[in-house]
Amino acid sequence: MASHLPFEIITNEKKIRRLYKGIARYLACWHVDRADYRYAVTVLRAEFDEIKTCKDKDPDGFNKRIKEMEDKLFYYQSVFQEKIWPKSVTGNAYGRESHIPDWVLDYWHPLEKAQYPKYFATREKRKQEYIKMWEEEYGKPDAIKDRHH
């Protein structure tokens, strides 16, 4: 079986949910202000609720309204550029955060360390605690070398 073939039958409910979600996402691109966006989504929800109520009464009208919503989604997709989130791969803030490892602080000049005496005093205390904990758990580094040779 080819991988590009659909694996499921899409029900009307699922189709309506996908249409609603798709249009709502594109409305977020159109409306920068949060209040405008919420208003537009509320109006959209009212339209979809109206479609839902006419499903049983008028099947032809239901299909016509679904087609209108598909056209609306196509319009939003084809007219407007989709919103690019800043920290997504294509966004302008992707990879800007630099994660500096802790060992870099060991190479600071003493005058630089003197500007933050409380921090570096606490840091040295924590380092000694960690070394002590590590030696209790794994032994001293020289003892490990002797075991392997």
Side-chain angles (χ1 to χ4, degrees), residues 21-30 73 75-86 88 90-91:
K21 194 172 185 179
I23 294 173
R25 287 214 174 130
Y26 279 100
L27 284 175
C29 299
W30 282 79
L73 177 60
Y75 169 76
Y76 283 133
Q77 288 175 338
S78 59
V79 172
F80 197 74
Q81 185 176 6
E82 189 171 355
K83 183 174 186 176
I84 297 173
W85 302 98
S88 68
T90 56

Side-chain angles (χ1 to χ4, degrees), residues 19 25 45 47 59 64 66 82 86 88 98 109 113 116 120-121 125 133-134 139 143-144:
L19 271 173
R25 287 214 174 130
R45 179 61 190 249
E47 289 179 41
K64 182 181 172 202
I66 291 295
E82 189 171 355
S88 68
S98 59
H109 191 273
K113 290 181 180 181
Y116 307 99
F120 280 98
K125 181 181 167 192
M133 182 270 310
W134 195 90
I144 292 173

